[in-house]
Amino acid sequence: MPATPGIPAQPGRPAPVPAPVSPTPPGRRTAFAEGVDRVRAAATTEPGRLRIIGAVLALLVVAFGAVTAWQSSERAAAADDVLHSSQPLSSGAAAIYRSLADANTTASSGFLAGGQESTASRDRYEKDIRTAASGLVTAAANAEPGSASEATIAKLNRLLPEYKGLIERARTYNRQGYPVGGAYLRYANEKMQTRMLPAAEDLYTKENQRLDADYADATPYPWAAIALGLLALAALGWAQHRTYRRTNRVLNHGLVAGSAATAVVLLWLVVGHTIARSGLDGSYDHGIRSLSVLHDARIASLKARGNENLSLVARGAETITVGGKPYDAYYYDFDKDMAVLGKGLSRAATLADDRAGSTPVKAAEGNMAVWKQRHASARAEDENGNFQQALDKVIGAKGATGECFDSVDANLARAIDHEQAEFQRSAGDGRNAMTGLPVGAAVLAVLGAAGAVAGIGRRLSEYR
């Protein structure tokens, strides 16, 4: 017999046999795989199946409550932003634009009056400047750091004192009778028209975009929560039907309680969100859209009045060529602004959904018609060289175009106040419809899950 390698053979003795090598132990299974095996083993018995059913039911109901609380909380927060943040900021941006335009118009009216500028006119100008400055402070406090809105606000804050300085110089030279005052006024108007008002309009546009984004977050249906609610109800119904088939018992109190809690949350979610969506849609259709049109119309009337005044200040010094034909630049812009005003008033009258909203708009349309007639008469006097007569027809004490402008502005302010109240009422109703839903859904979901587990536990007790 050959010797074993490494062990010397001894005479007369057999060679030693090597010890057998044990096989490598198999690798340990993962906890997940072992858990799956235990679930499989448990599913072969009725108590095991009941435990699995109870766990799945509880998980579904709790998941439904959690998703409902999450989605309803997000929509409630967005609706709250619409009511208390983005819409007020949008209106504030419109107020900044209007205040700047009105300050420019009032300054030109005061300039035409020369040394006879009234205290009321001066106070109105100062109030407009303060309103614009205060609005910029509020907008800056709510702007996101580094955003485009912040840059626009900083630009307006820089330009506003520059504009005020130009107006004060124009007034000083005008009181002293120097023609250079008119040049300063036109320069101030150019700064307002080409830099400040476009920046204010850009801010207004950005705030409206934020408002639209909040509406988009607040109004979509919570489909994920609704789908989970229907799935949870279907699972609870199946579990009750299964229990009935095996025990001939019509009701399982725990499962019935879980189903009732889930149904209440689902109904609350669907009905509450439907009411909220209706209120928010109403606030947009009968509030935001009307407010946007009315703000635009009011701004057009302010710009028209400013151009009407400046046409007399410039006395033909500013011209524009259109289609090869020369026009007074300010009269040309006046006609464009009046066309915008007319379209805006017509649109606002169509959007008004009650008499309180339509009455001031119709009154403004009548004021505008008279304004156009008086303006045509004043322009004819100016073109015929009768400057004083034209001036009297524009800023005179009686029968002047200024009366028509003031009436248009006052009626538009009334219409805006009415539509603002309509918005707040509808948006408030929409926001209130979701009050308590996130917390209520979470509490009822926990109770529903507890009821489902208790119902399954009652069946398990029958196997002990």
Side-chain angles (χ1 to χ4, degrees):
M1 176 181 296
T4 303
I7 301 177
Q10 297 181 11
R13 287 190 180 184
V17 179
V21 180
S22 60
T24 303
R28 186 171 181 179
R29 303 186 65 205
T30 64
F32 177 76
E34 292 177 357
V36 170
D37 285 345
R38 284 196 295 271
V39 170
R40 253 184 221 155
T44 60
T45 65
E46 181 61 13
R49 286 191 288 268
L50 287 173
R51 290 189 181 93
I52 294 171
I53 290 172
V56 171
L57 290 177
L59 179 63
L60 278 174
V61 175
V62 169
F64 167 52
V67 173
T68 297
W70 165 54
Q71 290 196 311
S72 58
S73 179
E74 280 197 336
R75 283 155 178 75
D80 193 69
D81 286 342
V82 166
L83 183 60
H84 296 121
S85 178
S86 52
Q87 196 281 327
L89 288 174
S90 174
S91 291
I96 292 172
Y97 194 121
R98 191 203 67 79
S99 297
L100 292 174
D102 191 63
N104 198 48
T105 298
T106 305
S108 62
S109 296
F111 186 92
L112 285 174
Q116 305 300 317
E117 181 180 8
S118 66
T119 302
S121 175
R122 179 79 187 205
D123 289 344
R124 179 170 176 171
Y125 168 81
E126 294 294 343
K127 181 181 178 182
D128 285 333
I129 295 296
R130 288 195 301 272
T131 300
S134 176
L136 288 172
V137 170
T138 302
N142 289 276
E144 296 182 3
S147 65
S149 294
E150 186 182 53
T152 301
I153 294 166
K155 178 180 179 180
L156 285 169
N157 275 323
R158 185 180 67 255
L159 291 172
L160 187 58
E162 294 178 8
Y163 172 81
K164 286 183 63 180
L166 291 171
I167 292 297
E168 291 308 318
R169 287 188 180 184
R171 281 174 168 162
T172 299
Y173 287 123
N174 188 44
R175 284 193 298 267
Q176 295 174 354
Y178 295 142
V180 72
Y184 273 106
L185 182 67
R186 292 195 297 274
Y187 183 37
N189 175 71
E190 181 183 2
K191 185 181 289 287
M192 177 66 74
Q193 298 291 345
T194 62
R195 301 182 66 185
M196 298 178 70
L197 288 183
E201 184 177 10
D202 182 59
L203 178 63
Y204 178 51
T205 300
K206 287 182 172 62
E207 295 300 343
N208 277 341
Q209 290 172 349
R210 185 194 300 194
L211 176 60
D212 290 341
D214 285 337
Y215 267 107
D217 291 338
T219 53
Y221 272 105
W223 293 116
I226 292 173
L228 270 175
L230 293 173
L231 181 60
L233 274 181
L236 286 163
W238 172 82
Q240 291 176 80
H241 180 67
R242 182 180 185 277
T243 300
Y244 169 73
R245 286 172 53 200
R246 282 164 173 73
T247 65
N248 286 327
R249 294 172 187 165
V250 176
L251 297 177
N252 178 296
H253 294 165
L255 293 176
V256 169
S259 299
T262 303
V264 168
V265 174
L266 183 59
L267 185 63
W268 189 358
L269 173 65
V270 173
V271 174
H273 188 76
T274 299
I275 295 174
R277 182 187 176 97
S278 176
L280 290 169
D281 286 345
S283 72
Y284 188 88
D285 292 337
H286 304 298
I288 297 300
R289 292 174 63 196
S290 294
L291 283 170
S292 178
V293 171
L294 289 168
H295 282 310
D296 290 344
R298 197 176 186 189
I299 289 167
S301 72
L302 287 164
K303 292 171 71 175
R305 178 60 177 172
N307 283 314
E308 184 177 47
N309 291 336
L310 286 166
S311 65
L312 296 179
V313 173
R315 299 192 182 186
E318 300 287 341
T319 60
I320 185 174
T321 302
V322 179
K325 186 177 180 181
Y327 291 91
D328 182 290
Y330 296 114
Y331 280 144
Y332 183 81
D333 288 340
F334 171 87
D335 291 338
K336 289 198 306 182
D337 293 332
M338 291 298 278
V340 173
L341 174 60
K343 291 179 181 178
L345 291 176
S346 177
R347 179 65 175 154
T350 301
L351 291 173
D353 58 343
D354 57 14
R355 181 172 294 180
S358 62
T359 298
V361 174
K362 291 179 180 178
E365 288 181 312
N367 301 144
M368 185 189 71
V370 177
W371 184 1
K372 291 173 72 175
Q373 293 173 359
R374 293 182 181 180
H375 172 80
S377 177
R379 183 184 293 191
E381 295 287 358
D382 184 36
E383 290 174 347
N384 290 329
N386 301 322
F387 177 77
Q388 188 59 49
Q389 288 85 342
L391 186 63
D392 291 340
K393 290 179 180 294
V394 172
I395 64 169
K398 187 176 180 181
T401 58
E403 292 179 351
C404 301
F405 161 71
D406 289 337
S407 297
V408 168
D409 191 67
N411 280 310
L412 286 174
R414 284 174 52 206
I416 288 173
D417 289 342
H418 172 75
E419 297 301 334
Q420 183 70 31
E422 288 278 298
F423 160 79
Q424 291 180 341
R425 182 165 50 253
S426 297
D429 290 343
R431 170 63 184 86
N432 294 336
M434 290 186 280
T435 300
L437 178 56
V439 175
V443 171
L444 286 173
V446 171
L447 293 176
V453 170
I456 296 297
R458 182 62 183 267
R459 282 282 294 123
L460 279 170
S461 66
E462 298 173 359
Y463 288 88
R464 293 171 187 163

